[in-house]
Amino acid sequence: MNNHYKKSKGLHLNYSLIEEMIEEKSKVLDLGCGNGYLLKLLKDKKNVKGNGIEIEQNEVIQCLEKGLSVIQGDIDEGLKQFSDKSYDYVILNRTLQSTNKPDYVLEEMLRVGKKCIVSFPNFAYWRVRLYYFFKGNMPKSKVLPFEWYDTPNIHLLTIKDFYEFTKKRNIKISQAIYTTHANKKSAPHYKLFSNFFAEEAIFVISKD
């Protein structure tokens, strides 16, 4: 799994938003943790006990150089090495759309984590729709900087898709944050029409 989308910039706004969601001294598992920037931030700012999983060897090495506990692995193969509800939070930041088996990855997250934080780009964002309509090819932006032939995004989804998925699977959404141009949006129309106005979404989900 290629996580370039997730790791393309340094401290993106959603890192600080995710930090706000995490309670002090929590036990955290970061899936597709990249070079460990977010995990290191959480350890420094929230004093979490954190672990990570990353498939790219050079990224794992960078994590280890930061003093992080990270193993090399493919999250599409599941989290069999972790017991049920063994983490307070499991994070999947900007990686869901690049997994081969997103439904299985989410179910494993919900099994292992008491709460799960999931973020992804919204492919129903109005600028994406206009890009399709006027140009007729795959959209490109700061959030979606790839060509169709080298994109890691293989399972495109929208906010509406995610809501429908959680409803069918009896997954609880306890918090939803919508962002556009790296800014958190809380105006009423963003909540009512998030599938149209939001460029990216961050959800806190759980399952008994």
Side-chain angles (χ1 to χ4, degrees):
M1 178 178 61
N2 189 325
N3 286 328
H4 289 180
Y5 173 77
K6 176 181 175 182
K7 298 172 283 192
S8 60
K9 297 291 182 181
L11 180 57
H12 187 277
L13 174 71
N14 78 350
Y15 286 179
S16 61
L17 293 175
I18 291 172
E19 178 195 337
E20 292 174 3
M21 296 173 172
I22 303 292
E23 295 182 14
E24 292 272 353
K25 299 181 179 180
S26 297
K27 191 175 182 183
V28 175
L29 178 64
D30 188 4
L31 305 181
C33 62
N35 60 17
Y37 199 107
L38 175 59
L39 196 56
K40 183 68 163 60
L41 178 71
L42 293 175
K43 290 193 72 173
D44 292 344
K45 298 289 187 179
K46 290 298 184 75
N47 195 27
V48 304
K49 181 179 180 181
N51 301 97
I53 299 179
E54 171 57 42
I55 195 170
E56 299 291 345
Q57 184 176 14
N58 62 322
E59 303 282 10
V60 174
I61 292 172
Q62 291 184 54
C63 289
L64 297 177
E65 290 173 345
K66 291 182 175 72
L68 300 172
S69 176
V70 174
I71 61 174
Q72 186 173 7
D74 186 350
I75 61 174
D76 275 309
E77 296 178 359
L79 305 172
K80 299 179 181 63
Q81 65 270 50
F82 302 106
S83 58
D84 295 359
K85 306 303 178 187
S86 54
Y87 283 85
D88 297 309
Y89 297 92
V90 178
I91 301 171
L92 189 68
N93 184 33
R94 297 177 167 183
T95 304
L96 178 63
Q97 74 283 350
S98 61
T99 58
N100 288 308
K101 298 181 288 185
D103 53 343
Y104 178 59
V105 171
L106 285 170
E107 288 295 335
E108 280 289 270
M109 287 180 66
L110 290 161
R111 178 184 64 79
V112 172
K114 298 172 185 175
K115 293 182 180 180
C116 298
I117 298 174
V118 181
S119 74
F120 55 86
N122 175 31
F123 284 86
Y125 176 50
W126 70 270
R127 288 184 181 274
V128 173
R129 300 187 193 204
L130 286 180
Y131 201 106
Y132 279 127
F133 184 80
F134 286 109
K135 294 196 174 185
N137 53 9
M138 293 298 291
K140 288 180 63 178
S141 66
K142 290 182 179 179
V143 175
L144 302 169
F146 303 100
E147 300 288 351
W148 65 269
Y149 51 82
D150 66 359
T151 178
N153 301 319
I154 58 176
H155 282 106
L156 312 185
L157 75 156
T158 69
I159 291 171
K160 183 179 179 180
D161 289 325
F162 192 77
Y163 272 110
E164 290 177 352
F165 176 88
T166 56
K167 185 177 181 180
K168 289 178 182 177
R169 304 293 182 101
N170 295 315
I171 297 169
K172 177 184 176 182
I173 296 177
S174 57
Q175 188 175 358
I177 294 176
Y178 309 113
T179 68
T180 297
H181 299 321
N183 292 306
K184 181 180 177 181
K185 302 295 182 179
S186 56
H189 68 279
Y190 268 89
K191 295 181 179 180
L192 289 172
F193 306 106
S194 58
N195 199 51
F196 185 80
F197 287 110
E199 187 176 25
E200 185 176 12
I202 308 173
F203 292 96
V204 179
I205 60 175
S206 61
K207 193 171 185 180
D208 294 333

